[in-house]
Amino acid sequence: MSASVPEGGELPPPVGIDELLERVRAGYERIEAREAYEAARAGDALLVDIRYAALRDRDGLVPGAVVVERNELEWRLDPQGSHRLPEATSHALRVVVFCNEGYASSLAVQSLRQLGLHRATDLVGGFQAWREAGLPVE
């Protein structure tokens, strides 16, 4: 029997993505675009853009946001990591992750929280909500 099969031999039922997102998001408070903007302006939050390059090229960038490809996120934000960003100095860092519409960012936050970044959150509605709120884009 495989090590991944629980004792008794039955696997738990699969979880769909909608249920998974609901479970993940229940574990933290998400942030709206205006609040994220104000927190970043006050120096209380690091905005992290995980959108892929084609979306950034098409729609623009959030001024001051750090661009980190999703597949590098944990390595760049782990304060204990050898490949961390200069900004990733503490597990108490308030990180606001955003993707295009606010779905992938929720899953990314779960991973960051597992690394001990207990203030990590994501932007409700992602970059599209930021732009619709009339916030700066370059």
Side-chain angles (χ1 to χ4, degrees):
M1 204 178 285
S2 167
S4 63
V5 176
E7 200 171 316
E10 290 190 36
L11 295 173
V15 175
I17 189 62
D18 293 332
E19 183 178 343
L20 179 60
L21 277 172
E22 187 177 315
R23 288 181 188 181
V24 166
R25 289 172 175 169
Y28 66 95
E29 190 172 327
R30 300 177 79 207
I31 191 169
E32 297 288 337
R34 178 67 55 187
E35 184 182 353
Y37 173 74
E38 295 298 334
R41 279 189 59 211
D44 185 42
L46 176 66
L47 301 179
V48 180
D49 185 347
I50 64 169
R51 294 175 300 148
Y52 53 89
L55 288 176
R56 294 191 311 266
D57 291 345
R58 182 189 77 189
D59 293 339
L61 299 169
V62 170
V66 176
V67 174
V68 180
E69 297 284 340
R70 174 62 190 98
N71 63 328
E72 297 179 356
L73 186 66
E74 292 81 0
W75 285 268
R76 299 291 187 232
L77 292 179
D78 179 2
Q80 299 174 346
S82 59
H83 292 45
R84 69 178 172 80
L85 293 172
E87 296 89 347
T89 57
S90 165
H91 285 94
L93 179 66
R94 186 177 186 195
V95 176
V96 178
V97 179
F98 65 93
C99 60
N100 194 48
E101 295 181 345
Y103 296 99
S105 57
S106 294
L107 298 177
V109 165
Q110 178 186 34
S111 183
L112 293 176
R113 286 176 162 258
Q114 288 174 329
L115 285 175
L117 291 156
H118 62 275
R119 295 181 70 205
T121 188
D122 73 318
L123 186 60
V124 176
F127 176 84
Q128 297 305 322
W130 179 279
R131 185 169 61 184
E132 287 172 19
L135 296 170
V137 174
E138 50 186 34

